[in-house]
Amino acid sequence: MKIAALGAMALTLAGCATAKSSSSQGNNPGKTIKIGVNMELSGSAAGYGEQQKQGIQLAVKKINKSGGIKVGGTKKKIQLVIRDNKTSNTTAASVAAQLVNNDKVVAVVGPATTSAGTAAIPNMTKAAVPSVSPSATDPDYTLQKSGKVQKYIFRACYQNNFQGATAATFVTKNLKAKRVAILTDNSSDYGTGLTKAFKKQYRGTVVSSQTFQEGDKDFNAILTALKHKKIDAIYAPGYYSEIGLIVKQARQAGIKAPIVGSDGMADAKLAQIAGKSNATNVYYTTPFSTKASATNKVASKFMSAYKAKYGSTAPTFSALAYDSVYMIKAAIEKEGSANSVKIADGLAKLKNFKGVTGTTTIDKQHNPEKTISIEQLTNGVVSKVYNVK
């Protein structure tokens, strides 16, 4: 989602700590299995980072309560090492070096953002320690510039191009929309990437394509112009803070057409900003549906545990982070080893992993093949879920 573009400054590792050269043997566990967390716990992406930390801690608590991770004939408990990358690329690189060199972790969950994750890659690779990002969605995140896969880099979320294309298919087949208006957040690669993918897949007519910036509050001029055009739907991928206002102002302007967006809208705050009655006939793509517990026992148990621990409904980013920990657990058990190189091998071979966010198989580019959901809001609550593969 949009967090993929936060901190999208030029990547410079000057002045930050770098990983020591190491053999291809990587790091080994001691009495415990050390898993690092390189996460945005302060700065502009802290909201996402905190949600992911909650999911990680919940997973580790459950695993340790059951005795830990089976490694060969014994079980070892997980020891978390949590560090704040402050939503900074240079800090994320430094944190990666600290985790693999000083803390000797055998795997890392995070970072949340593509830019911070990309900055950490050289140090992760040099130390031969794998990382699983719950939410880095840029298509090239797991790839080298040559196009070859980054051996130690994985993700639990799907890519922006898949999300945008899925939205286009849904708009065409499910909503029967032949004429669409697009509102794009052009201040980030997240918004522009989703729009590009949508346009490539959509077979109808784009009657209007407008842009806005992160932090914009008044969308009335754009919406007034759209009101006088014949549109069957609006595609507006973005973050709930802006999209919530777009939904509110569109409905106030008398625009009743479906509004379709992305996983940046998968938060209860969207309806709070838009107003519950306005948040009707609104749809968004998401890797985790709050309705999943009806058909997914793993999701049901997770949601109950999350509610008991934190007193609220589990958000998408907590679910993805929870799955990231269990992906590492599955890799260790598959290989019968908690050596970091072996964990990377196990992650690359992961197939039919049953997680909170669905059944996942890791492809050759270290991306998850999994079902994507589209949630429909009616009066501010999820009224229906569409599953698209």
Side-chain angles (χ1 to χ4, degrees):
M1 60 161 295
K2 185 174 187 176
I3 57 178
L6 288 171
M9 60 191 75
L11 293 180
T12 171
L13 304 184
C16 70
T18 56
K20 298 175 183 177
S21 296
S22 65
S23 71
S24 61
Q25 296 304 306
N27 288 344
N28 290 298
K31 293 181 179 180
T32 61
I33 295 174
K34 283 189 177 182
I35 295 179
V37 178
N38 186 346
M39 195 57 66
E40 292 80 338
L41 301 177
S42 61
S44 58
Y48 304 112
E50 284 294 336
Q51 289 181 4
Q52 294 189 18
K53 185 177 77 169
Q54 290 177 342
I56 292 165
Q57 291 175 322
L58 198 63
V60 171
K61 180 181 178 181
K62 183 178 179 181
I63 292 169
N64 285 346
K65 188 175 181 181
S66 68
I69 299 176
K70 187 176 181 181
V71 186
T74 63
K75 277 193 170 184
K76 291 179 179 285
K77 291 189 175 182
I78 298 173
Q79 179 182 346
L80 277 183
V81 182
I82 301 174
R83 294 187 179 275
D84 179 12
N85 65 40
K86 303 179 181 179
T87 317
S88 162
N89 295 346
T90 52
T91 304
S94 179
V95 164
Q98 292 170 30
L99 288 171
V100 298
N101 289 329
N102 302 340
D103 302 313
K104 298 296 182 182
V105 302
V106 295
V108 170
V109 178
T113 67
T114 296
S115 54
T118 300
I121 288 175
N123 286 335
M124 300 303 298
T125 301
K126 191 176 295 184
V129 175
S131 70
V132 180
S133 173
S135 52
T137 56
D138 186 89
D140 295 331
Y141 175 64
T142 62
L143 303 178
Q144 302 176 40
K145 289 183 178 180
S146 65
K148 292 183 179 180
V149 70
Q150 296 277 8
K151 182 177 179 179
Y152 296 98
I153 307 303
F154 301 82
R155 57 176 140 205
C157 57
Y158 46 67
Q159 305 168 71
N160 283 339
N161 49 6
F162 175 51
Q163 186 175 186
T166 299
T169 299
F170 175 78
V171 164
T172 303
K173 293 185 176 181
N174 296 81
L175 300 183
K176 310 297 182 184
K178 297 180 179 180
R179 294 169 59 85
V180 168
I182 298 176
L183 302 183
T184 302
D185 176 0
N186 69 349
S187 60
S188 72
D189 291 338
Y190 175 70
T192 56
L194 285 166
T195 295
K196 182 179 179 181
F198 180 90
K199 287 182 174 180
K200 184 177 180 180
Q201 182 70 18
Y202 183 57
R203 296 296 176 260
T205 301
V206 177
V207 297
S208 177
S209 189
Q210 304 293 326
T211 62
F212 61 90
Q213 295 281 317
E214 178 185 355
D216 283 354
K217 304 291 185 184
D218 187 353
F219 303 92
N220 285 298
I222 293 175
L223 295 169
T224 298
L226 289 184
K227 186 177 179 180
H228 300 293
K229 295 179 181 290
K230 183 182 177 182
I231 57 173
D232 300 318
I234 295 174
Y235 182 59
Y239 183 46
Y240 64 78
S241 54
E242 287 82 29
I243 305 302
L245 290 172
I246 287 174
V247 170
K248 179 180 182 178
Q249 292 170 24
R251 299 310 187 222
Q252 289 176 337
I255 298 174
K256 298 180 180 180
I259 298 175
V260 182
S262 56
D263 54 358
M265 296 163 61
D267 194 294
K269 293 184 181 68
L270 176 79
Q272 294 174 13
I273 296 170
K276 290 185 177 180
S277 62
N278 293 323
T280 294
N281 207 13
V282 172
Y283 308 80
Y284 52 81
T285 46
T286 177
F288 173 68
S289 171
T290 53
K291 298 286 188 180
S293 59
T295 56
N296 183 339
K297 291 183 180 180
V298 178
S300 179
K301 291 179 180 179
F302 162 72
M303 291 173 72
S304 295
Y306 189 94
K307 181 77 172 180
K309 175 69 175 177
Y310 300 111
S312 61
T313 301
T316 296
F317 299 105
S318 293
L320 287 166
Y322 185 93
D323 275 354
S324 297
V325 175
Y326 270 91
M327 286 167 65
I328 293 170
K329 175 180 181 289
I332 291 172
E333 292 178 342
K334 180 177 179 61
E335 295 297 313
S337 171
N339 166 268
S340 63
V341 177
K342 289 293 187 180
I343 294 173
D345 291 341
L347 285 167
K349 300 172 189 173
L350 204 61
K351 295 184 185 301
N352 298 317
F353 164 77
K354 307 295 184 183
V356 173
T357 59
T359 300
T360 296
T361 293
I362 297 298
D363 68 15
K364 293 180 180 180
Q365 295 185 332
H366 293 182
N367 299 310
E369 295 176 349
K370 63 201 301 182
T371 298
I372 185 172
S373 297
I374 294 177
E375 291 191 330
Q376 176 181 347
L377 295 182
T378 302
N379 292 322
V381 297
V382 179
S383 58
K384 189 172 181 179
V385 179
Y386 303 81
N387 290 318
V388 184
K389 186 107 179 205

